[in-house]
Amino acid sequence: LIYERIREEKRNGKPIKQALTDGYGNALSAILDSNITTVLTGIILFVFGTGPIKGFATTLIIGVLCSLFTAVFISRLIFDFLCKKKPEVMDGLPFCTSFTKDFLQNVSFDFIGKAKKFMIGSAIILAVGLVSLLTSGLKSGIDFSGGRNYIVRFEQPINTAEMASSLRSVFDNVSVITIGESNKVRISTNYKIMEASDNIDDEIESLVYEGVKSYLADGVTKDMFLSRYVRTESGEFGADVEDGSVTYGLQSSQKVGPTMADDIKTSAIFAVLIAVLVIGLYILIRFRNLSFSLGAVAALVHDTLFVMGIFSLLKNVMPFSMEVDQSFIAAILTVIGYSINDKVVIFDRIREELKLYPKRDKQQVFNQSLNATLARTINTSVSTLIVLLCIF
C-alpha cells in the first residue's frame, strides 16, 4: 500500500522526498486501521481458542505488529537515509518494474454500475451453499463431534485413502490425514465415544493396531506399536527411546468428550460472531458513518458464509480432509481479518475522496476509489495466495 501511494505521488510529478512524505502520510491511516482489525481478530482467537489456536493467534499478533513496525518505520528510515546519501538513485527509483509499470493504471471499471450483476451471481452461489449447509451441514472434526485422535508414524509413506478404507473394517466413522510428513498420519474416530468403561481406551487402541497392522513392518507387536519403537543401526527393532530419536508406532492420542466438543463448538461460534461485531464497531468508530460499518459487517458475513458453503458442497468431493475443527475456525477468523483489511483500504480512499470532492456524485467517488485501490487489492491478495498455496 505504501509503495502504491508513493508511486502515485511520483506520477503526479512530485519530487521523491515529497512523494515519500505524502505517500507514507496518505497510507498511514489505512495501514493502521487494517492492521488493528487483524490484531483484534487475533485477540479474539487467543481468548476463545485452545492449545495450538492460542499459539496461532500469538504468532499472528506478533507478525502483524512486526510487519507494521518494519513497513511504517524501518522502510521509511532506509528511504530517508538513501535520499540523503544517494539522492540520484532515489530520484530514478520508479517503484515498479517494466512489467508492472502500467498494471491496472488509469482503469475506469464501472463497479457500482455493474454491482447488481455481481451481487446476483454471488447470491446464487451463496444460496446453493446455504441450502447445502442447511441440508447436509458440515463435516465435523473431533473437536466439534467428540472422539479420539491417534498420531501414528510408519516406516514408509502412507496412502491415506487406502488406510481409511482399511480402518473402516473396524470403525464405522474414521478419517485419516497426513500430519507434516508423508509417513505420519492422524487417525480420527468417534467410535464408542459415549461409552465410559474402564477398558474402552485399550479396546480402541487394539482396533487401531489391527486396522493398520498391514502397514507395519513384520515383527511389530501390539505392545511395540502402542509404546513406540525405534530402528537400530543394524535394522533391528529397539525399545530404548531417547530424546531426539525417530520413533515409529503410536506417537500420541487425544480424547475429546461430547460435552467438551459442544463447549468448543459454542466458543467457536461466539468467536466468529464477536469478531464480526467488534470489527463492525471499530469501523463505526473510525469512519463515523453507519453505512461503512453496516457494509463491512455485511461483507464479512458474506465472505464467511461463502467459505462455509463451499466447504459444505465439497466436503465429500475433495481428495483430502474437509473437516471443520478449531483450525477451520482459526482460518475463518483469518479470512475475516484479511477481508476487512482490503475493505478498510477502500473505505479509507473513499473517505479521502469525499473530503477532496464533497460535491462530486457519490457513485463516481466510489468507482474512482475502487479503481484507484484495485492494483493494491490484487497485489496483496495474490501474494497472500502464493503463501497459502505453499502451505497447501
Side-chain angles (χ1 to χ4, degrees), residues 186-205:
R186 186 187 77 188
I187 299 170
S188 304
T189 178
N190 57 5
Y191 179 72
K192 291 188 177 181
I193 189 60
M194 301 299 291
E195 293 192 19
S197 58
D198 294 337
N199 62 348
I200 188 65
D201 289 334
D202 293 336
E203 176 190 338
I204 296 176
E205 286 179 352

Side-chain angles (χ1 to χ4, degrees), residues 142-201:
I142 297 299
D143 290 342
F144 293 158
S145 65
R148 294 173 173 83
N149 286 325
Y150 299 96
I151 306 297
V152 184
R153 181 185 282 122
F154 297 87
E155 295 182 56
Q156 75 284 341
I158 296 298
N159 184 312
T160 54
E162 291 180 1
M163 178 170 286
S165 180
S166 299
L167 285 166
R168 288 191 185 98
S169 62
V170 291
F171 297 118
D172 295 330
N173 185 15
V174 66
S175 71
V176 182
I177 63 172
T178 303
I179 300 292
E181 308 163 31
S182 59
N183 65 332
K184 189 177 180 182
V185 301
R186 186 187 77 188
I187 299 170
S188 304
T189 178
N190 57 5
Y191 179 72
K192 291 188 177 181
I193 189 60
M194 301 299 291
E195 293 192 19
S197 58
D198 294 337
N199 62 348
I200 188 65
D201 289 334

Side-chain angles (χ1 to χ4, degrees), residues 72-320:
V72 175
F73 183 68
I74 298 297
S75 66
R76 183 64 188 273
L77 279 180
I78 294 171
F79 283 141
D80 286 344
F81 174 79
L82 290 174
C83 280
K84 290 179 180 178
K85 294 294 183 180
K86 296 185 178 181
E88 70 283 354
V89 174
M90 289 300 294
D91 283 334
L93 196 64
F95 285 90
C96 64
T97 65
S98 56
F99 177 74
T100 61
K101 183 178 179 180
D102 297 316
F103 179 65
L104 295 177
Q105 297 302 314
N106 301 316
V107 290
S108 57
F109 190 81
D110 186 12
F111 286 102
I112 305 302
K114 294 180 169 54
K116 188 178 291 186
K117 294 179 181 178
F118 286 106
M119 291 171 72
I120 290 172
S122 184
I124 291 171
I125 299 173
L126 270 180
V128 173
L130 285 172
V131 169
S132 179
L133 280 171
L134 293 172
T135 54
S136 64
L138 296 164
K139 186 177 182 181
S140 296
I142 297 299
D143 290 342
F144 293 158
S145 65
R148 294 173 173 83
N149 286 325
Y150 299 96
I151 306 297
V152 184
R153 181 185 282 122
F154 297 87
E155 295 182 56
Q156 75 284 341
I158 296 298
N159 184 312
T160 54
E162 291 180 1
M163 178 170 286
S165 180
S166 299
L167 285 166
R168 288 191 185 98
S169 62
V170 291
F171 297 118
D172 295 330
N173 185 15
V174 66
S175 71
V176 182
I177 63 172
T178 303
I179 300 292
E181 308 163 31
S182 59
N183 65 332
K184 189 177 180 182
V185 301
R186 186 187 77 188
I187 299 170
S188 304
T189 178
N190 57 5
Y191 179 72
K192 291 188 177 181
I193 189 60
M194 301 299 291
E195 293 192 19
S197 58
D198 294 337
N199 62 348
I200 188 65
D201 289 334
D202 293 336
E203 176 190 338
I204 296 176
E205 286 179 352
S206 298
L207 290 173
V208 171
Y209 169 72
E210 292 298 327
V212 303
K213 191 174 181 180
S214 61
Y215 296 89
L216 299 171
D218 294 337
V220 176
T221 65
K222 174 186 167 185
D223 289 338
M224 290 172 61
F225 172 76
L226 296 178
S227 59
R228 296 189 296 166
Y229 65 92
V230 296
R231 279 282 194 178
T232 64
E233 292 182 0
S234 61
E236 301 295 323
F237 297 124
D240 298 327
V241 178
E242 299 178 358
D243 291 340
S245 59
V246 178
T247 61
Y248 303 100
L250 182 63
Q251 305 293 299
S252 64
S253 61
Q254 175 192 32
K255 179 182 178 181
V256 178
T259 302
M260 185 183 295
D262 287 339
D263 290 342
I264 294 172
K265 187 186 295 183
T266 302
S267 296
I269 293 171
F270 272 119
V272 174
L273 292 176
I274 290 173
V276 172
L277 291 176
V278 166
I279 289 173
L281 180 61
Y282 178 82
I283 296 297
L284 179 60
I285 293 171
R286 283 292 290 134
F287 290 88
R288 301 186 182 279
N289 188 318
L290 187 61
S291 298
F292 284 101
S293 184
L294 291 177
V297 170
L300 294 181
V301 171
H302 165 276
D303 295 348
T304 303
L305 291 177
F306 199 97
V307 174
M308 293 176 69
I310 294 297
F311 252 71
S312 178
L313 287 168
L314 302 181
K315 66 179 185 292
N316 296 320
V317 176
M318 291 298 183
F320 47 83

